[in-house]
Amino acid sequence: MKRRLVTSALPYVNNIPHLGNLIQVLSADVFARASRLRGYDTLYVCGTDEYGTATETKALEEGVTPRELCDRFHKIHADIYQWFGIAFDKFGRTSTPRQTEIVQGLFEDLDKAGLIKEETIEQLHCAKCERFLADRYVRGTCPHCGYADARGDQCESCGKLLEPTELKEPKCSTCGATPSPRSTRHLYIDLPAIRPKLEAWMKKASVDGFWANNAVQMTQAWIRDGLKARAITRDLKWGIPVPKDGFRDKVFYVWFDAPIGYMSIAATLADEKGFDWKSWWADPANVELFQFIGKDNIPFHTVIFPSTLLGSGRDWTMLHHMSSTEYLNYESGKFSKSKGVGVFGSDAVESGIPADVWRFYIFWNRPERSDYTFTWADFLEKVNGELIGNLGNLANRTLAFVQRFYDGKIPAGTPDAAFWAEVKRLEGEIAAKLERAELRDAFRQVFEIADLANKRFQATEPWKARTAEPEKAASLLSDLCLVLRDLAVLIHPYMPAAADKLAGFFGKTVGGAEGLSWKDLADLAPLGSITGSEVLFQKLDPVRIDELREKYAGSQKERAERDAAGSAPASPKAAAPNAAAPNAGAPKPADAKPSEPKPAPEPKPAPLAELPLEERFARLVDLRVAKIVKVERHPKADKLYIETLDDGSGTERVIVSGLVPHYREEELLGKRIVLVNNLKPAKLRGVESQGMLLAASMENSDGTETVEVLDASWAEPGTRVVLEGQDPSLPLPAEIDVDGFFSIPIRAEGKAVRVGSMALVAGGAPLRTERVESGEVG
């Protein structure tokens, strides 16, 4: 069994990581934790990437030294990752003596091998600052779109990549002087000369290490399009000095030195712990390297870093498996560190939502094969529906039942062979997927086990079997407690705090020398008793999620400005009628003519977000009565129905609903339901759902959930469902997205269905529930 060396992309130090950045660090954590549970000797290293132009620029802006900036942000990163429960063996940094030593050593190996070239290039030079300007130290007019404050590397307005010399009217961003082109010499790594070794290595490694498709395709494209020599030096002060005469006033380019940080961080740990770092990094026969990165970092890990190692002529541990994800987007755009857009690590910490809940959502939707968009509505739905409705529900109902009816003693029962055959099959598939770092699919199969157990609980009806068939009840509860023990092990890589809490109900822990490990899965020896139970996760409150959506809207700069002003995000309001104008009462010049009175400006309509809840509903949501004329099971999802509706339009309409656990087909067929008529269509497991039916839900005292489809049996299909007294002529948008719909909570209160304080009516009669006394409607 080979040892496993695990790394995640080194986060750049000059800002706070957002959820998209956190995917790589968390993914490596899951893989490392799973590897340890499965008995692999595992080392997981990461750290902050600290050298380069961006750090120098940020330090100049803040009036601090690069070292002071790095110290501050390194601690911010470390604190965020600690809060997320990431179990690094070492979270280090690249600005260390070990980094300097190893980077310079590799450079000297390349130089001795004849793989370093010198070239003279034209670069902008500031005479006032007496230095060559890196791309980010130059500002000017974009030659493509005319934006007047474009950076030397990229225009922030049109997004075009630039060279500093392309800018019109360039200015030094430090002093404002106009720079001029001047010749300068730099060192280049000769990638074309290394190409034969690189191609031979890549062909074998990509197959043996089952690289992700995007990693293979991007690497092949780089090689196919022709490798070029790449500069490895810069005219900067903050970086690793170049140990070569004629270049000692330069530093190494950050893209060259940053991946070597994986090696130096391991070396720093080795210094602390007293082992040889090369036992990990120079032992390819016994160590496999697993690297977790985003797709934008692929070439640096499959071309540049491997070329450095191959060109050095030494026998280094090379990349085995590359796990590269697509992008995680945010609401209607992209996560962006530079623009401060998205949910950042510090936001998650202060949200009041536990780290494991964030970890759940990230891995449930890990963008392994395509981009994924984070929305607050989806976050609410997935957490409350899958994490709590499935896993949390199983733990709560099982343990509460044992506690209540068996005084906490787990009854001894005969294991159900068919049930355990299916559990073992799923556990085997989960293990196989984890071996290949297919983290999302493995995670979802963990929840298939929870779903299987929930269905058995429901089918066995232990509240009846306890007295009518006590052996059957004992078999069920014994098996389900053992499954919960297994689930504690299986979720440990993903949600370590929840895993320990769940294992703790049986007096156990997960991981470490004494804790549960992979070998304990499907061990059917009796567990004895439970030491207590409590709810694993608290349901997310839709109102609180709305507040967080509003709080984290816009960029970090805009949020800071709102916080300083003590206001929530909103459009600017007109000044109060009695507010004094600037300089009111100041004397007018003697020759000033009396101004003509100006007409009062038209009052601007208040933004929807500022309207009362009921008015927002009336202006946004179109609800209609529809009749279900056909019901069938979704071929690709065991919890989903495909329903065909008569919505009064004369054309049949198809929707998808998650009602399989709550209703039989015959209970839905012919039912007149309430449809969100203008909800934007969405594909659910390959079937387009043209709207959504509404149902009320309520959590019961035994941990089960009651779900009741809203009924409007008295109304004809097509009838509008409106607020009592609502003007039905108000114009409505043709489509609203799911976020827009869920931004307006609908609830059942005392069996009356309401928006805020107003009742919903169809054909003049109020909507009411029969079984749900009080709960959410969605």
Side-chain angles (χ1 to χ4, degrees), residues 684-704:
L684 299 176
R685 303 297 291 271
V687 176
E688 185 174 77
S689 183
Q690 301 168 333
M692 178 177 71
L693 64 76
L694 294 186
S697 63
M698 174 180 71
E699 188 169 355
N700 303 313
S701 58
D702 63 353
T704 60

Side-chain angles (χ1 to χ4, degrees), residues 278-324:
K278 290 183 179 179
S279 66
W280 287 94
W281 274 103
D283 189 10
N286 297 301
V287 178
E288 290 179 334
L289 172 60
F290 292 78
Q291 298 196 285
F292 292 80
I293 62 167
K295 65 179 178 182
D296 52 341
N297 266 326
I298 287 171
F300 299 105
H301 291 76
T302 61
V303 177
I304 305 299
F305 184 41
S307 293
T308 300
L309 299 180
L310 290 167
S312 74
R314 299 182 188 272
D315 197 16
W316 296 110
T317 300
M318 302 286 291
L319 171 65
H320 173 65
H321 177 69
M322 167 65 64
S323 179
S324 47

Side-chain angles (χ1 to χ4, degrees), residues 22-23 39 108 324 360 379-380 444 524 573 579 585 590 607 611 628 666 668 673 730 734 757:
L22 281 159
I23 287 175
E108 288 169 344
S324 47
F360 159 80
F379 182 60
L380 176 71
R444 292 191 176 190
L524 302 185
K573 296 180 182 177
L611 294 175
I628 298 177
E666 59 268 25
L668 292 172
I673 53 94
L730 282 174
S757 61

Side-chain angles (χ1 to χ4, degrees), residues 625-634 640-657 659 665 668-673 675 687-691 693 717:
V625 175
K627 181 181 178 181
I628 298 177
V629 297
K630 182 181 178 183
V631 185
E632 55 188 322
R633 296 290 289 266
H634 195 301
L640 300 182
Y641 282 129
I642 301 171
E643 295 109 340
T644 303
L645 307 179
D646 169 10
D647 64 0
S649 67
T651 303
E652 288 188 341
R653 183 171 187 161
V654 172
I655 63 169
V656 179
S657 72
L659 291 172
E665 286 97 324
L668 292 172
L669 191 63
K671 196 171 184 66
R672 295 190 183 186
I673 53 94
L675 172 75
V687 176
E688 185 174 77
S689 183
Q690 301 168 333
L693 64 76

Side-chain angles (χ1 to χ4, degrees), residues 308-386:
T308 300
L309 299 180
L310 290 167
S312 74
R314 299 182 188 272
D315 197 16
W316 296 110
T317 300
M318 302 286 291
L319 171 65
H320 173 65
H321 177 69
M322 167 65 64
S323 179
S324 47
T325 56
E326 303 294 317
Y327 291 129
L328 179 69
N329 297 322
Y330 180 67
E331 294 283 349
S332 58
K334 285 187 175 181
F335 278 92
S336 171
K337 285 191 295 184
S338 61
K339 296 178 182 177
V341 174
V343 180
F344 288 75
S346 51
D347 300 333
V349 172
E350 68 176 32
S351 69
I353 298 170
D356 273 5
V357 174
W358 291 103
R359 289 177 66 120
F360 159 80
Y361 183 79
I362 284 171
F363 287 106
W364 188 263
N365 299 305
R366 184 175 184 256
E368 294 185 358
R369 299 179 189 89
S370 61
D371 293 354
Y372 191 85
T373 299
F374 172 97
T375 68
W376 286 99
D378 187 57
F379 182 60
L380 176 71
E381 178 188 339
K382 294 294 192 304
V383 172
N384 283 355
E386 198 62 49

Side-chain angles (χ1 to χ4, degrees), residues 723-749:
L723 296 171
E724 194 169 18
Q726 176 184 328
D727 178 1
S729 66
L730 282 174
L732 292 167
E735 277 189 357
I736 60 172
D737 62 20
V738 70
D739 286 352
F741 174 71
F742 281 110
S743 70
I744 305 170
I746 305 173
R747 290 189 57 81
E749 299 289 353

